Amino acid sequence: MQPGLVERLFDRRTLTRLTQLAELDPGLVLDDFTTSEARAALGDAEVIVSSWGCPPLDRAVLDAAPRLRAVIHAAGSVKHHITDACWERGIQVASAAWANALPVAEYTVAAVLFANKQVLRSSADYRELRAGYDILAAYGTAGNYRRTVGIVGASQIGRRVLELLRPYDLDLLLHDPYLDPDEAGALGARLVPLDELCALSDVVSVHAPQLPETRGLISRHRLAMMKDGTTLVNTARGALIDQDALTGELVTGRLSAVLDVTDPDVPPEDSPLYELPNVLLTPHVAGSLGTELHRMAVAAADELACYAAGLPFAHPVLPQDLPRSA
């Protein structure tokens, strides 16, 4: 795990629960499985509770852990540390990705509602004018009533965003190559091709996984298809969007954006994204942060309770799902 992560993830109550469920040493935190301390711990381990920064569980590590039966990941994606060797040995895997999806979805919904309300523009105008003005005339196209919101990807986060947006008077579009129209309808959305989604939406929010085939998914061509005034929200991965093309559109002021992720992860110091009034740029804070980390720790404790009771995991990770997940 990353330094200090245990203290941020686990409050005293959750740590107490974990130690009651299993012979767990909260003080034993490993970020290297090759040390003598790690080898001694692996020899007795039946369950590993992992999080961000966990080293890969390759064959050599598994050879040192003959009793290992399960890995419970108190974070999101397991692709970094769960290897083919884990599946070959029948290791059960659970993830708190669902818990990490919740704050990302909440951030996204706030971004969607603020975007349609033209909050970025009105705030910039007010800051510049420092006086009253005719807001009805200035923002005659603002508002969330009967706006069209396009969701790219029916991931855990995308589905949660759709769920949270249902109470609003919005037209929800969805693009996901793995869904059919009935499945999209059950989520409260209309399934459309990606080009159509980009052309029709007032807000486009990206929730697809980063895969070789999704790199540059929101391309120069698709950005050009978006209507003047469209807002692009990205809480997924920066590489899903043609960053140069997006920056060019944003500099002209034709589009707006709420970007929690970019490509590269941190834009260069001279990037216009830091200064543009039509861009809200945040440093990858949409996911679990502060107190929200405790939700993932509780999720891990719940999975450990399932394991201890001989029950299946509530949120298992299955190898067949990994090729199309984050």
Side-chain angles (χ1 to χ4, degrees):
M1 290 188 184
Q2 298 172 354
L5 185 57
V6 170
E7 291 76 11
R8 294 195 296 271
L9 265 175
F10 299 99
D11 59 18
R12 184 178 299 277
R13 181 170 58 182
T14 306
L15 276 176
T16 299
R17 184 178 176 215
L18 285 168
T19 56
Q20 290 172 342
L21 288 167
E23 294 181 13
L24 183 141
D25 179 3
L28 179 62
V29 181
L30 303 174
D31 56 11
D32 181 353
F33 287 138
T34 65
T35 66
S36 57
E37 180 184 34
R39 293 292 172 172
L42 287 170
D44 293 328
E46 185 176 344
V47 178
I48 288 177
V49 177
S50 62
S51 192
W52 293 297
C54 180
L57 293 163
D58 55 23
R59 286 180 175 80
V61 173
L62 296 182
D63 286 343
R67 299 182 63 231
L68 185 66
R69 297 294 178 267
V71 177
I72 298 172
H73 192 50
S77 176
V78 302
K79 285 187 174 181
H80 173 73
H81 67 296
I82 298 298
T83 65
D84 289 343
C86 294
W87 305 121
E88 292 167 4
R89 299 199 185 188
I91 303 295
Q92 298 179 60
V93 180
S95 168
W98 68 270
N100 194 47
L102 301 185
V104 181
E106 292 164 356
Y107 176 108
T108 301
V109 170
V112 168
L113 298 178
F114 265 38
N116 282 329
K117 199 72 173 179
Q118 296 186 13
V119 168
L120 277 179
R121 179 184 162 201
S122 61
S123 176
D125 290 346
Y126 203 16
R127 185 181 302 111
E128 180 178 352
L129 292 170
R130 300 176 184 242
Y133 59 102
D134 189 346
I135 59 172
L136 295 180
Y139 313 113
T141 61
N144 281 286
Y145 184 59
R146 292 182 176 174
R147 288 292 182 175
T148 300
V149 178
I151 304 299
V152 182
S155 59
Q156 291 192 68
I157 297 169
R159 289 167 185 259
R160 180 63 172 166
V161 170
L162 288 168
E163 180 184 346
L164 292 175
L165 287 176
R166 281 187 193 178
Y168 301 96
D169 293 311
L170 298 167
D171 182 16
L172 301 176
L173 304 180
L174 174 64
H175 172 76
D176 191 300
Y178 298 101
L179 260 61
D180 62 37
D182 289 341
E183 291 172 313
L187 294 172
R190 179 163 61 91
L191 191 69
V192 296
L194 185 54
D195 285 359
E196 183 177 345
L197 182 148
C198 290
L200 295 179
S201 298
D202 297 295
V203 180
V204 175
S205 189
V206 182
H207 302 288
Q210 182 174 320
L211 305 170
E213 59 268 31
T214 60
R215 185 173 186 85
L217 183 68
I218 306 300
S219 61
R220 183 179 298 274
H221 166 72
R222 287 175 173 140
L223 289 166
M225 295 180 69
M226 295 180 186
K227 301 180 294 186
D228 290 0
T230 297
T231 298
L232 179 63
V233 180
N234 191 11
T235 57
R237 291 291 184 268
L240 271 62
I241 299 174
D242 183 330
Q243 191 71 61
D244 290 340
L246 174 61
T247 301
E249 291 279 14
L250 295 172
V251 167
T252 70
R254 195 182 75 81
L255 303 178
S256 296
V258 178
L259 303 174
D260 190 52
V261 290
T262 53
D263 187 20
D265 290 336
V266 179
E269 288 185 14
D270 60 351
S271 171
L273 297 178
Y274 291 113
E275 302 293 341
L276 288 172
N278 53 326
V279 175
L280 175 60
L281 182 67
T282 55
H284 208 157
V285 298
S288 296
L289 192 69
T291 61
E292 294 161 343
L293 292 167
H294 297 163
R295 183 191 283 123
M296 292 193 296
V298 170
D302 288 344
E303 296 289 21
L304 185 58
C306 288
Y307 180 85
L311 300 173
F313 285 138
H315 299 278
V317 178
L318 304 176
Q320 60 266 33
D321 295 336
L322 286 180
R324 55 180 178 142
S325 66

